[in-house]
Structure formats: C-alpha cells, structure tokens
Amino acid sequence: MRTDYCGNIDSSYVGQEVTLCGWVNKRRDLGGLIFIDLRDREGIVQVVFDPDLPEVLEEANKLRSEFCVKLTGKVRARPEGQINDAMRTGAIEILGTGLEIFSKSAVLPLDWNQENSEEQRLRYRYLDLRRPLMSQRLKFRAQVTAAVRRYLEDDGFLDIETPILTKATPEGARDYLVPSRTHKGEFFALPQSPQLFKQLLMMSGMDRYYQIVKCFRDEDLRADRQPEFTQIDLETTFLDANGVMKITEGMIRDLFMKMLDVDLGDFPRMTYAEAMQRYGSDKPDLRNPLELVDVADLLKTVEFKVFSGPANDDKGRVAVIRVPGGASMSRKQIDEYTKFAGIYGAKGLAWIKINEKAQGQEGLQSPILKFLSEDITDAIIARTGAEQGDILLFGADSATVVTEAMGALRLKLGEDFELLEGEWKPLWVVDFPMFEEADGQMHALHHPFTAPRGVDAQELIDNPSEALSDAYDMVLNGVELGGGSVRIHDQQMQQAVFTVLGIDEEEAQNKFGFLLEALQFGAPPHAGLAFGLDRLVMLMTGATSIRDVMAFPKTTTAACPLTDAPSAANPQQLADLAIDVVKKSTD
C-alpha cells in the first residue's frame, strides 16, 4: 500500500515517486497552493498540491487535521530559504499527484496545542499516542527491549515464560486475586514477580533464564508505580553477586551506549549504611552534592535539649546539611522547608547562617546560637566545610526520622538551588540489612529467599538484627533501576530465615511448600536481579512518569478511563464463580 515511511524521506529520494500513508498533521491553504504535513510513526513530511493537477487539488481541499490518507507524489528539493534543518525531511517536499482519503476525522477531543489533563489523555489514549512525542517514546521502548533481548541471548540466557495464574508470593504488596470457576471458593493470584518460578528454573538446570514479564501489585500508586508493570527478570546458577552485577552492569552500559551514545563508565559501589548516613536514602542521587553530616558527638553537653536529647540517645541522630549560598534564604523560605521536613516526622528545623565567616560567632545568625559555644560552632563549621554565604540546616530526632526527613530535604534543596551536577550518575548499593524490625516483628528487607552473607543458620537465628544480606540494587539518578540477590539454596538456612520471620512449618508449607520440596533435590547456588523496564525507559526518555512510557496505563486510582475498567460483573458471571457482592452500607 505504501513504498516508504513519511519520516524517512530525505534528499536521497529527490526525483523518485513515493506512496505514503498516514494522518494529516496540519493543513495550510495559500490561495491556490495547499500544503499538508503528513505524519506516521517515523515522522512528518511536507506535501504540496498545486493547480496544475486540479482534480488532486480539489480532493486536497477537503483535507482536515487527522484525516487518514494515502498519497502518491514526486520528491523534490525545497526552494532555497525554505529548508528546515531541524527535520530529517526538511530539505525536501513531495508534489502530490494522487490522493485517497481512507477516513475523515471528527473534531478532536484533545487539543495538541495546549496541555490536556491526564484524565483526557488516558480517556482518548489512541489519539494521545499519535503525538510524535508519545509515539517516539513507545518506539524507543521497543528498541530497548530488543537490545536487552539481544544482549542477554548473546550471553546464553534463555527466554522462558512463567505462569500468570499462580499462588500468592511474599512480595510485600497486596495480591490481585482471580476466582476459579472450576474450584469454587478458591483463587489464583496474579504474580507480583516470577520469584519462586525463576528459582525453580535454576533448580531445573536451565542455568540462565530471562523474561520481559508483566507483574501485578495492588498497592498505593504514585508517579513510578502501576498496578501492572513490566520487569526485565533474570536468574543464573553458579554465579555469585559479583558475577550477576558484572552481567547486568554490562547490559545497562551497552544499552545506554547504543540508545543514547552515553558511556556510563564503571559503576561505583556503596554500602547501604554509607548511603543512609551520607544521603538519607538507599537510592541516593549522586548528582546532588549535598550530604548529611553527623554532629551528635559535638552536641552531647549543650543545654539545648532538642540537640542533646537525640545526641545522647543510642537511637537518636543529629545531622546537618550545608547549603551553599543558602544564607540568602528568607525566614519564610526556612519555614517552608521546616514544613516540608515535617511531612516526614521532623518536629522542627534548626538553622545557622554563615554571614561573615571571618568574624567568628559574631558573623553567624541563628536563634540557637545562645545555646552553642564558639568552640562548638567552630567545630560544626569545620566538619561541614561551611563557607561564607552558606546556611546549615539541622535535623535532630530519632535516627529514623532524621534520616528520612533530611534525606528528602536534601533532594528538594538540590532541585530548588539547581545544584545537580552531571547528567547520569549510576551506582550499586550493597550490604543491605537482612531484616528490619517493625512492631516487635522481624521482616525481610527484600524477600525471605534472599541469602545472608557470612553467617551460618544458627548465627542468623542468634543475631538477626546484625545480619547483612547478599543483595544489591542498581541505582541511577536517585531511581532504583533494579534489585536482586543471591538466593538461599540450603534448606537449613531457608528454615532459619523462616524462624527469624516467625513463619512456622505449617505456614511455610502452605505458602512455599513446592519450593521447599525442590530444595531437597540438589539445589544449585543461584542469584538474579529484576529491572523495572518502565522506570528505565522513563529515565532514558526524560519522561516524568512511567505512565508516559506505557501504551495503556492506569490512573493513580488504578482505573482505566479508556475502557472504563474496573467494572461490575454481571450476575451470571458471579453465579458461575460462586461469588456474592456485598454492597457498601450508606452509614
């Protein structure tokens, strides 16, 4: 039906006849000459219809935006002064010699010349995807997945599918349940990840598995979350953490070089403890030069209880962020940052402005100076490296509150003061705690199949709070691209983890019996990692939400305006499934 894509026509086509199909992006009538911009997924080309072909011109006069057409024409060079160097097709135009209108378009419910609401864009997603920006993002995504497949398959990985209808897995979110018609009253769960199945594949001798796979989690949504999302999932046998990290770092470096011509270089490694101490986050954005500096040891004896209390508490923390040039902040701005820190539990935000450093204490400005000796303020300034014109912002509370609040504040300050340096800053975060404690109960920081590092089963049971996991996260620009770990392949160690988590034998058998059984039959050492494909493409394309790199995403309320899903089931469907819907009370 067509000979070429619109966006591929360049000067090498001059003199040739082409047939193109696409949509009218724009129409201009210049009094006898009609110009249209014809668009398909590869780009836009200019077409001109002139009076020498009156029948074609008459047909072209009917064209309006988003009419779907086929045209035939001769490629010619544009006149001098009309060349558009910003477009691949900008040096040529097509003289239309034939035109067929496939279908007309009603007035669009979207206005491409202004911002449309996300609700509108998702309601008419098929129109939204016609926009060059959106079509290019989906094209880019397809190229990313193709490049990933080539890289992994060249390295011996097999693409193997795992079930979608399965049993609930412990991934930390609520499951989407699917009722069974043939087993009334029983349910499948949609997989939060292929975790257990990929481990079974390693026990099956598949050696290297990968899959670009849909995952489902019923959790509260935000910009980088969706109820259904896509993972680049992989698993290997007979490789340790370093082996998996080498493969996956190589894959991401190869991807950025091929797709963006960016050399990410070697990825530095940082322990979880260091990341939390210096940046207040286990996924630090290294483009931001601001750091959290601990000063509790300098403040243990001060009379200011806001400082001395946490400074003398084993579970407390006092940390400072030095903001270059921040002494220019108004009191209103400081109050706004205090309010922001309060979102994360901080009760306040103490501050010191360095107005005239050479004047010592006299050159400082702060309501808390009366509580601090000159020796202490000098020591704080020396430790933070504060210079004239800077401001020091203090967080003092429990270590958890200070780390979370000051970590979030660090990110906001970096953006507000335009401090980000460099375009891409990757790293590995390693040596995560094996467990975290909440409400007196131990929980797996990753999942209960992650192997601890450097301890035996009894040592893990005796001192779980000190255990580190053999886990690793790849971080880029403050976004976790992917996370993985060495898995437990020893039945005794797996039982030890369950013991720490308070999972008894009956519960373990009920939830993971098939995996525990497989561990009895010569399970090999294995390790893996899963990347969030949506997040990766979002970063690479400069989008601000994963919804902008997905063809048909859900809203932040997990609904689809396009199809009006979710929707009620009809009574017969419910009867077949032995389900009764209980209506909400009006109380």
Side-chain angles (χ1 to χ4, degrees), residues 294-500:
D294 286 291
V295 292
D297 59 308
L298 303 175
L299 299 167
K300 289 186 175 183
T301 60
V302 300
E303 295 181 7
F304 192 38
K305 296 297 184 184
V306 170
F307 282 172
S308 60
N312 287 285
D313 185 343
D314 290 340
K315 294 185 178 180
R317 185 178 187 187
V318 185
V320 183
I321 297 176
R322 175 181 74 88
V323 186
S328 61
M329 280 190 207
S330 67
R331 186 55 192 264
K332 181 181 179 182
Q333 287 175 302
I334 294 174
D335 289 344
E336 288 174 352
Y337 285 122
T338 302
K339 185 177 179 181
F340 176 82
I343 296 172
Y344 301 89
K347 300 181 182 69
L349 195 65
W351 53 272
I352 298 176
K353 290 184 178 183
I354 320 295
N355 293 329
E356 294 290 342
K357 186 176 181 182
Q359 295 181 16
Q361 193 92 336
E362 295 299 317
L364 307 181
Q365 177 188 351
S366 172
I368 66 170
L369 287 175
K370 58 188 175 183
F371 301 111
L372 306 177
S373 68
E374 189 165 357
D375 287 345
I376 289 176
T377 55
D378 286 348
I380 291 173
I381 289 171
R383 183 172 294 182
T384 58
E387 298 292 345
Q388 186 164 308
D390 296 348
I391 191 172
L392 300 177
L393 301 176
F394 294 77
D397 208 308
S398 70
T400 301
V401 168
V402 170
T403 300
E404 186 173 359
M406 298 298 277
L409 182 62
R410 169 185 173 267
L411 295 177
K412 182 168 177 57
L413 289 164
E415 293 283 352
D416 290 352
F417 281 78
E418 299 181 348
L419 298 175
L420 303 190
E421 303 168 348
E423 189 174 4
W424 303 104
K425 291 291 181 71
L427 80 154
W428 286 104
V429 178
V430 297
D431 293 351
F432 287 84
M434 185 75 180
F435 305 103
E436 57 184 349
E437 187 174 351
D439 302 323
Q441 174 70 40
M442 286 292 188
H443 302 272
L445 193 67
H446 283 81
H447 56 66
F449 313 108
T450 298
R453 191 166 57 76
V455 296
D456 61 30
Q458 191 57 51
E459 289 171 331
L460 184 72
I461 293 172
D462 292 342
N463 198 9
S465 61
E466 297 299 317
L468 298 178
S469 65
D470 207 352
Y472 33 85
D473 281 1
M474 183 187 291
V475 177
L476 180 64
N477 292 1
V479 175
E480 179 194 329
L481 286 187
S485 68
V486 174
R487 322 302 187 187
I488 296 170
H489 69 281
D490 175 75
Q491 194 173 25
Q492 186 180 5
M493 180 61 79
Q494 186 65 73
Q495 186 55 57
V497 171
F498 288 157
T499 299
V500 172

Side-chain angles (χ1 to χ4, degrees), residues 6 22-30 33-40 43-49 60-69 71 78 84 87 99 105 108 111-113 130 132:
C6 298
W23 288 264
V24 177
N25 195 66
K26 186 186 296 184
R27 173 186 176 276
R28 305 181 299 282
D29 189 338
L30 301 184
L33 284 177
I34 293 177
F35 289 86
I36 67 165
D37 291 339
L38 189 67
R39 185 192 72 245
D40 61 21
I44 294 173
V45 67
Q46 178 173 286
V47 182
V48 58
F49 301 92
N61 196 43
K62 302 174 185 177
L63 297 177
R64 297 295 182 269
S65 292
E66 296 309 305
F67 278 29
C68 186
V69 304
L71 70 85
R78 287 197 193 186
N84 184 350
M87 298 173 60
L99 176 63
S105 173
L108 296 185
D111 185 348
W112 289 359
N113 295 315
R130 289 185 191 176

